[in-house]
Amino acid sequence: MTDLYAVIGNPVAQTKSPRIHAEFARQLGQDLRYEAILAPRDGFAAAVAEFRVAGGRGLNVTAPFKLEAFALATERTDRAEQAGAVNTLKFDGASVLGDNTDGAGLVRDIQDRLGFPIRGRRVLIMGAGGASRGVALPLLHEQPASITIANRTVEKAWALERRFAPFGPVDGGDYARLAGRQFDLVINATSASLAGELPPLPAGVFAPGSFACDMVYGNEPTCFLAYARDHGAAQVADGLGMLLAQAAESFLLWRGVLPDTGPLIKMLRSG
Ligand SMILES: NC(=O)c1ccc[n+]([C@@H]2O[C@H](COP(=O)([O-])OP(=O)(O)OC[C@H]3O[C@@H](n4cnc5c(N)ncnc54)[C@H](OP(=O)(O)O)[C@@H]3O)[C@@H](O)[C@H]2O)c1
């Protein structure tokens, strides 16, 4: 019987996930169907229950349901526990496993596809929302020299420092505090690029040979990536590779095999 998976969110019309997972399944000869579910904002649990009754085996969870998915899971991976949010659910009998694949996806994209080793590097994460929280621990596992978290609302950066400092060299603060410091890997985990805005980075943060990465993606380079190129970053990448890599990590959790994201980047960029 064909196994059933889906992405659930609100809105969900813009999602690329059904196309991505259909391509993964074709690549690996897996018999599965993958749909998109638009759940009412107050109807996440009911929509999940209905999906399970219909034989659903797993879900990708997108905004605004990642915290509800965390609460619904009966078991969670360490990375989901630390992120405090779940973007992947796996159903097995009565068990509901919650995982968060964003960080693993980002790390895999930066290191494996783009060839930039994280070990020993000074990492700056801009933003202290759900995405920042989801990637901090997987980045720390790669043993960077340090991770600095900068955020407009400084209390949120301090909260992430408290949360992650037990696991490695993490400090948090506002953007002004970055003056005079340099970083090898600068990750824009804010949503600023969506509004065509730049986080207030002081001049000179990009170290020679540095890599700038924006979690936002689009047909044109984001304003942050254009700024990074003009201010000394040697390599830049948008979030499409991360999107594909986190999808591949979900596929691995559900099916036990890791798809190759390389061919899909070109396919999705060409429309
Ligand atoms: N490519 C992928 O696979 C992938 C995966 C996950 C997320 N993302 C993207 O990553 C972005 C962040 O997601 P999220 O879930 O963390 O969102 P979120 O929880 O809403 O957090 C948004 C963050 O952006 C900051 N921010 C927003 N506008 C800003 C501006 N103009 N200047 C400076 N900081 C600004 C916020 O700062 P304050 O706290 O001060 O408001 C906050 O830290 C989104 O655009 C999302 O689409 C991409």
Side-chain angles (χ1 to χ4, degrees), residues 5-30:
Y5 297 88
V7 57
I8 185 166
N10 185 335
V12 84
Q14 79 296 346
T15 183
K16 294 182 190 294
S17 293
R19 193 163 168 214
I20 292 170
H21 283 277
E23 197 53 36
F24 286 165
R26 199 194 55 74
Q27 184 189 100
L28 293 163
Q30 299 266 322

Side-chain angles (χ1 to χ4, degrees), residues 66 102 126-133 150-154 156 175 188-195 197-200 214-217 238-244 246:
K66 290 185 183 182
D102 279 341
M126 298 187 288
S132 175
R133 205 161 78 166
N151 199 47
R152 195 171 57 174
T153 311
V154 68
K156 288 207 245 165
Y175 286 95
N188 187 6
T190 76
S191 48
S193 293
L194 292 175
E197 292 170 5
L198 282 173
D214 199 334
M215 288 197 189
V216 170
Y217 54 86
D238 73 6
L240 186 62
M242 175 187 175
L243 176 81
L244 282 166
Q246 62 79 28

Side-chain angles (χ1 to χ4, degrees), residues 56-81:
R57 303 282 302 273
L59 284 169
N60 283 130
V61 182
T62 185
F65 299 127
K66 290 185 183 182
L67 297 183
E68 278 186 78
F70 181 90
L72 190 133
T74 58
E75 298 164 58
R76 295 179 207 107
T77 60
D78 279 353
R79 59 196 189 186
E81 206 67 61

Side-chain angles (χ1 to χ4, degrees), residues 19-211:
R19 193 163 168 214
I20 292 170
H21 283 277
E23 197 53 36
F24 286 165
R26 199 194 55 74
Q27 184 189 100
L28 293 163
Q30 299 266 322
D31 185 16
L32 62 85
R33 204 168 85 233
Y34 190 106
E35 300 173 345
I37 299 173
L38 174 66
R41 282 179 180 258
D42 60 353
F44 175 71
V48 172
E50 196 179 315
F51 179 72
R52 291 180 74 187
V53 167
R57 303 282 302 273
L59 284 169
N60 283 130
V61 182
T62 185
F65 299 127
K66 290 185 183 182
L67 297 183
E68 278 186 78
F70 181 90
L72 190 133
T74 58
E75 298 164 58
R76 295 179 207 107
T77 60
D78 279 353
R79 59 196 189 186
E81 206 67 61
Q82 287 310 325
V86 156
N87 76 344
T88 307
L89 290 169
K90 179 181 179 183
F91 308 118
D92 193 2
S95 142
V96 180
L97 176 64
D99 195 3
N100 189 313
T101 63
D102 279 341
L106 179 71
V107 166
R108 202 183 279 281
D109 195 51
I110 291 173
Q111 295 200 131
D112 298 356
R113 188 178 71 86
L114 298 162
F116 188 87
I118 293 166
R119 191 188 174 96
R121 305 299 179 108
R122 296 160 294 178
V123 178
L124 169 62
I125 307 177
M126 298 187 288
S132 175
R133 205 161 78 166
V135 302
L137 193 64
L139 284 167
L140 273 176
H141 284 156
E142 300 306 313
Q143 301 184 306
S146 58
I147 294 186
T148 297
I149 300 172
N151 199 47
R152 195 171 57 174
T153 311
V154 68
E155 292 78 11
K156 288 207 245 165
W158 290 336
L160 291 197
E161 175 184 308
R162 285 194 298 276
R163 188 177 188 101
F164 292 109
F167 302 100
V170 177
D171 64 288
D174 60 14
Y175 286 95
R177 206 176 136 265
L178 304 176
R181 296 179 66 185
Q182 288 209 311
F183 299 91
D184 308 299
L185 174 59
V186 180
I187 299 168
N188 187 6
T190 76
S191 48
S193 293
L194 292 175
E197 292 170 5
L198 282 173
L201 269 182
V205 296
F206 297 98
S210 59
F211 187 145

